[in-house]
Amino acid sequence: MNKFHEGSLIYPLNLSLNVIDMDRMTSFYTDSMGFEMLEKKEDFVELGVDGRRILTLVSPGDVVEKPPRRSGLYHFAILLPDRKYLGSLINHLRDNNVPLTGGADHEVSEALYLQDPEDNGIEVYADVTDSKWEWDGDQVQMGTDPLDFRSLMELGKDINWTGMPKGTRLGHMHLHVGDLEEAYRFYSLIGFKRVAQMAGSANFISTGGYHHHIGLNVWNGRGAKPAPENATGLRYYTLAAPDRETQEKILESLRDGNQKAEMKDGILHTQDPSGNRIQIIIA
Ligand SMILES: [Fe+2]
C-alpha cells in the first residue's frame, strides 16, 4: 500500500548517514537487512530496493561517534508492502542472530525495532489497511500493544527472505528535536499536519491523512542541541514534493516563516529548528 508515498503528497524518500566503519555498516545493511547495493565508492555507498535509493552511507574520514542526548535521528522506518514480509524478516534476523530491540502493534501498523552497528535506530513496519485506522476528527488512534510475533513468523515461513521486497519504501522519519511546538511550526510551513500526539513529548505529522510521515519527540531532552556535523547519524533526509510549483511554494513559506532555505541545482535545502537537515526534491 503506497498511496501515502506518491502523487501530490509530501513524504520522506531517502536519507543519508555519516558512518565510521563503512565495511561493517555496508554488510549489515545488505546481508542482515537485505538492501540492494546501488552504487559503491570508497567513502560512499548507495543502498535501496528495486533500483530506488533509500539509504546512503557516507564516510568522509573524520567521522566521530555522536555524543548522547542530542537532536537528530531517533529512527528511520522502512515500510514493507505486506505483513507477511515482516514475518519473513523476523525469521531471517533470528536465523542470522541479529538482535531486535523491540516490536509493537500500533493499531495502524505492526513494527519491529533494531539498532544498526553504529547505533542508528531502525524500524521496519507494515501498515494495517487504512480503512481500519480509527480517526477521532483529524487525530488518528495509535497504540503500543505487544507485537504478535508468533503469527507473523508463521506467516513468514512461506517466504524465503532474499532481501527487501519490491515496493519497500522509506515510510517515515522519527527525529529528536529540542522543542515540539517550534518543530511543529517549522513542519507546518512545509505542509505537514499534526495527526497524533503523546502527552507533550511526541508529535506525529503527515500529509494526505497518513498516520505519520514524521515523528518528532523530545525524549533526548527539551532544548537538545544538534550533534557536530561530522558525528555519526543523520546527515540529511529527503522529502519528495510533487512539482516545481509546490517546491517553490514551500521555499516561499519557509522564508516567510524566517527559516533558512535555499535552492541549489533544483534542490531545496533547509533544516528544522533542531538542525535536522532536509533536502526537498521533485519526485
Ligand atoms: Fe516510527
Side-chain angles (χ1 to χ4, degrees), residues 75 77 113 123 172 174 212:
H75 61 236
Y113 297 93
E123 174 181 340
H172 66 261
H174 196 147
H212 65 295

Side-chain angles (χ1 to χ4, degrees), residues 74-78 106 109 111-113 122-125 172-174 204 211-212 214-215:
Y74 175 55
H75 61 236
F76 65 94
I78 300 299
H106 293 301
S109 64
L112 287 183
Y113 297 93
I122 308 169
E123 174 181 340
V124 186
Y125 72 114
H172 66 261
M173 293 290 292
H174 196 147
F204 299 91
H211 58 70
H212 65 295
I214 301 175

Side-chain angles (χ1 to χ4, degrees), residues 5-26:
H5 298 84
E6 64 177 21
S8 63
L9 302 185
I10 296 159
Y11 56 90
L13 199 60
N14 54 58
L15 74 153
S16 176
L17 295 175
N18 261 341
V19 163
I20 294 175
D21 189 336
M22 190 58 114
D23 289 344
R24 188 166 177 221
M25 287 285 274
T26 303

